[in-house]
Amino acid sequence: MKLSIVIPCYNAEATIAAQLEALECQQCAIPWEIIIVNNRCTDRSIEIARDYQSRLPNLRVVDALARQGV
């Protein structure tokens, strides 16, 4: 990948869908990826992010469970 967009995510249920929809509309001439970092979310943030993986094949969710919060 030439470009990685890293989104630290802690209980972002209210905003994560809007952010991913905005990224879905982007066009880029170089290979890019989106990395959602799960910082011990307790809401539906990660479930919502995973729902976008079919629309954004360059989207990955990784766990960073050692520390909670953004």
Side-chain angles (χ1 to χ4, degrees):
M1 287 295 150
K2 295 276 187 172
L3 174 67
S4 296
I5 300 163
V6 180
I7 303 173
C9 186
Y10 175 69
N11 293 349
E13 179 178 12
T15 58
I16 193 72
Q19 180 63 63
L20 293 174
E21 286 177 23
L23 289 168
E24 184 178 22
C25 295
Q26 298 300 309
Q27 295 181 358
C28 189
I30 60 173
W32 62 287
E33 67 182 343
I34 304 164
I35 301 170
I36 303 290
V37 181
N38 178 8
N39 293 120
R40 297 176 76 187
C41 293
T42 59
D43 65 359
R44 294 184 56 245
S45 301
I46 301 307
E47 180 182 337
I48 293 168
R50 289 189 195 282
D51 287 343
Y52 277 83
Q53 285 181 310
S54 61
R55 294 164 41 188
L56 291 162
N58 56 341
L59 170 67
R60 292 188 303 141
V61 177
V62 297
D63 288 328
L65 303 177
R67 298 184 62 168
Q68 186 171 22
V70 289

